[in-house]
């Protein structure tokens, strides 16, 4: 179904909601979407989400359900498991995770005793995820956390992580991040976990698509358990997969997820994961993932040419962090708000080794990535244009305290001109189809 047909179908019943969907469609077409965890799911993935599988209940796993009528849900779920195993090279896959956070919780619940278990993971302000033991997450409240961080060059120091792991002795050693622009050494993490007597967990939510497409090394066979969201670089529906190396781990995770934490699986979403996995197994998708990395590198280079401080001096994957305070004396949140007003959408983010008092809501930098713009067909030469838009916006954004009611731009006419240039640029690139 095309987006306008979806809107028309909704409009027959609920014009108010149809308007909101249409406005969101238009926003996603008009803006340059640089949030690295977002993408454009394909028409086939979106159609599968709307399929009759959404009407079906079925607690339990294939062949072991608590409801009748599972002829096709069983066949479908087994097929999706098989595709996940084939694409990522792991022998076992759980496909019922509702999203990334519950998938991680299921892994912790499978292997850790409440209020005794020990997790070692990256600190939030250096690129770790909330579910890696942040104090505001139950993962930080229910388990003992040993946090590691980046070195002064904003990269992971594997010798230091090994030293810390041997001292802290975690039950689970987590790698995989939400804001880390460099290649993850899964082999080193697997070895350290073994030496420390820990289970290794790679949460590859951000880079799952890159791994599937061969644009980032695979965690197989180094890492015991792999979790990831299916809606970021993998370009599927909003959900999560959990892969396991051993049968024993697989069974524990299955039990922890259901009946431990979740109820009935979202079969429409699982079917849509299957479609995304089929798409991800194609040469076109491989080319897409290499394009994502080439674009991120080009964007980082273009920003550094314009004297922006890019964390770790560039990127190996789909995202980059820019310390906007160090670059232009502009806090990340100010830049993110200003950019949105001219049609560039990204998120403010902490940057490792920035000012020590940066807060998650008031950090020194921004995070941006290229999965969405690459899905629209943009190439490295277009990244210079985006860097120019970014730079023009920073140039007209006010520094220092902003008086109430005065707006973030020093020059409103320049902002209007910039917005027009951005919309004219994005109009060249389709959104809901690709290649
Ligand atoms: C996005 C993300 C998650 C959480 O996924 P949700 O689907 O938002 O719950 C977990 N871990 C990492 C590393 C992520 O990037």
């Amino acid at each position: 179904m095309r987006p306008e047909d979806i809107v028309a179908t909704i409009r027959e019943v609920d014009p108010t909601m149809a308007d909101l969907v249409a406005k969101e469609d238009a926003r996603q077409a008009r803006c340059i979407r640089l949030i690295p965890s977002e993408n454009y799911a394909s028409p086939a993935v979106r159609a599968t989400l709307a399929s009759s599988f959404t009407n079906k209940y079925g607690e339990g796993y294939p062949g072991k359900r608590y409801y009748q009528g599972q002829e096709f849900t069983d066949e479908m779920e087994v097929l999706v498991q098989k595709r996940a195993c084939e694409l990522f090279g792991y022998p076992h896959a759980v496909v019922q995770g509702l999203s990334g956070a519950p998938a991680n919780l299921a892994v912790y619940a499978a292997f850790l005793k409440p209020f005794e278990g020990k997790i070692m993971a990256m600190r939030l302000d250096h690129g770790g995820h909330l579910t890696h033991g942040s104090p505001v997450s139950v993962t930080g409240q229910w388990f003992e956390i040993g946090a590691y961080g980046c070195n002064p060059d904003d990269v992971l120091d594997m010798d230091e992580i090994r030293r810390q792991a041997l001292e802290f002795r975690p039950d689970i050693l987590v790698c995989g991040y939400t804001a880390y622009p460099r290649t993850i050494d899964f082999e080193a993490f697997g070895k350290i976990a073994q030496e420390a007597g820990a289970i290794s967990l790679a949460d590859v939510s951000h880079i799952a698509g890159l791994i599937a497409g061969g644009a980032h090394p695979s965690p197989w066979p180094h890492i015991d358990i792999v979790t990831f969201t299916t809606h970021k670089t993998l370009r599927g529906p909003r959900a999560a997969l959990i892969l396991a190396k051993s049968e024993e781990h697989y069974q524990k995770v299955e039990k922890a997820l259901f009946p431990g934490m979740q109820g009935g699986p979202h079969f429409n979403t699982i079917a849509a994961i299957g479609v995304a996995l089929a798409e991800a197994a194609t040469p076109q998708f491989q080319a897409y993932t290499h394009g994502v990395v080439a674009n991120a590198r080009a964007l980082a280079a273009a920003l550094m040419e314009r004297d922006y401080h890019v964390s770790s001096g560039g990127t190996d994957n789909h995202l980059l962090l820019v310390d906007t305070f160090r670059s232009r004396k502009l806090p990340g949140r100010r830049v993110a708000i200003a950019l949105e007003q001219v049609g560039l959408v990204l998120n403010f983010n902490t940057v490792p080794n920035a000012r020590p008092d940066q807060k998650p809501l008031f950090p020194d930098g921004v995070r941006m990535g290229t999965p969405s713009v690459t899905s629209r067909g943009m190439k490295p030469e277009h990244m210079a244009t985006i860097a120019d838009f970014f730079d023009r916006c920073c140039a007209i954004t006010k520094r220092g305290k902003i008086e109430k009611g005065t707006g973030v731009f020093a020059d409103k006419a320049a902002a209007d001109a910039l917005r027009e240039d951005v919309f004219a640029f994005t109009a060249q690139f389709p959104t809901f189809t690709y290649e």
Side-chain angles (χ1 to χ4, degrees):
M1 240 191 196
R2 291 174 313 160
E4 49 275 34
D5 298 331
I6 294 175
V7 170
T9 306
I10 301 168
R11 190 172 304 284
E12 285 170 27
V13 176
D14 187 344
T16 313
M17 191 58 74
D19 281 344
L20 287 169
V21 173
K23 282 182 194 166
E24 178 62 15
D25 283 349
R27 188 193 69 83
Q28 291 187 15
R30 209 168 47 219
C31 295
I32 301 179
R33 297 171 65 222
L34 294 167
I35 295 174
S37 45
E38 292 184 355
N39 214 326
Y40 295 94
S42 75
V45 165
R46 295 180 57 181
T48 313
L49 281 171
S51 70
S52 54
F53 278 125
T54 198
N55 299 332
K56 186 71 194 103
Y57 234 107
E59 287 176 337
Y61 292 101
K64 300 168 279 186
R65 310 276 194 196
Y66 292 79
Y67 294 74
Q68 299 312 115
Q70 307 293 343
E71 211 178 333
F72 305 114
T73 49
D74 275 10
E75 188 179 337
M76 181 275 290
E77 186 170 337
V78 169
L79 173 69
V80 177
Q81 287 179 298
K82 187 167 154 278
R83 285 184 183 169
C85 290
E86 276 169 8
L87 190 62
F88 290 94
Y90 272 71
H92 307 286
V94 182
V95 301
Q96 294 191 7
L98 297 180
S99 218
N104 285 343
L105 281 177
V107 174
Y108 299 152
F111 302 109
L112 301 178
K113 287 205 186 109
F115 306 106
E116 283 179 33
K118 292 164 82 174
I119 300 170
M120 184 169 148
M122 173 96 103
R123 45 194 272 199
L124 185 73
D125 62 344
H126 280 205
H129 190 260
L130 282 168
T131 56
H132 299 175
S134 156
V136 297
S137 150
V138 293
T139 61
Q141 294 158 9
W142 294 349
F143 304 111
E144 190 186 336
I145 306 298
Y148 59 86
C150 293
N151 71 10
D153 296 324
D154 303 346
V155 294
L156 294 172
D157 175 344
M158 296 313 297
D159 293 332
E160 177 55 23
I161 290 169
R162 176 172 174 274
R163 190 197 62 70
Q164 228 179 308
L166 294 179
E167 192 185 309
F168 181 66
R169 296 276 162 187
D171 299 302
I172 295 182
L173 174 63
V174 184
C175 63
Y177 314 103
T178 197
Y180 184 66
R182 293 301 180 177
T183 302
I184 301 169
D185 187 344
F186 293 121
E187 187 173 359
F189 270 106
K191 278 199 185 125
I192 292 169
Q194 251 179 2
E195 227 186 313
I199 290 170
S200 51
L201 166 63
D203 174 357
V204 299
S205 289
H206 263 262
I207 55 172
L210 304 186
I211 291 167
H216 187 289
S218 168
W220 176 263
H222 312 296
I223 299 291
D224 297 321
I225 313 266
V226 182
T227 57
F228 54 93
T229 51
T230 46
H231 47 274
K232 295 176 185 173
T233 50
L234 193 60
R235 217 157 58 176
R238 309 193 73 84
L241 293 185
I242 308 171
L243 310 174
K245 205 165 137 176
S246 82
E247 172 84 26
E248 185 207 336
H249 285 172
Y250 168 60
Q251 286 184 0
K252 283 191 173 160
V253 170
E254 260 202 348
K255 275 208 191 91
L257 194 69
F258 177 86
M261 284 181 44
Q262 292 186 178
H266 297 186
F267 287 121
N268 57 323
T269 308
I270 295 171
I273 294 172
V275 173
L277 292 171
E279 289 177 340
T282 60
Q284 291 91 318
F285 189 81
Q286 281 179 11
Y288 162 71
T289 62
H290 286 92
V292 167
V293 175
N295 280 345
R297 289 208 159 117
L299 184 56
L303 288 165
M304 289 188 295
E305 259 170 45
R306 287 157 183 78
D307 261 342
Y308 285 90
H309 180 92
V310 175
S311 177
S312 84
T315 181
D316 299 327
N317 58 27
H318 62 302
L319 69 79
L320 46 138
L321 295 167
V322 182
D323 187 330
T324 50
F325 192 83
R326 201 182 315 193
S327 307
R328 294 292 191 275
K329 292 280 178 295
L330 288 168
R333 192 182 172 120
R334 178 87 54 87
V335 173
I337 290 169
L339 283 170
E340 182 176 12
Q341 294 186 23
V342 297
L344 279 81
V345 184
L346 45 60
N347 65 278
F348 52 82
N349 215 94
T350 53
V351 182
N353 303 305
R355 291 179 301 167
D357 57 344
Q358 37 163 13
K359 301 269 178 328
L361 273 174
F362 298 95
D364 274 3
V366 294
R367 183 183 72 152
M368 59 179 108
T370 51
S372 296
V373 294
T374 311
S375 285
R376 295 183 78 163
M378 291 186 201
K379 300 276 186 290
E381 64 264 28
H382 300 117
M383 298 303 113
T385 308
I386 294 180
D388 265 335
F389 290 150
F390 183 92
D391 192 34
R392 278 169 66 186
C393 181
C394 286
I396 56 173
T397 301
K398 286 183 192 163
R399 282 164 192 73
K401 211 171 145 57
I402 292 182
E403 297 304 319
K404 245 194 166 162
T406 60
V408 298
F409 293 117
D411 182 345
K412 199 174 160 303
D416 291 343
L418 176 54
R419 188 184 313 105
E420 268 178 41
D421 289 350
V422 169
F423 291 170
F425 171 74
T426 53
Q428 306 169 62
F429 301 96
T431 51
F432 297 100
T433 55
Y434 45 81
E435 310 305 351

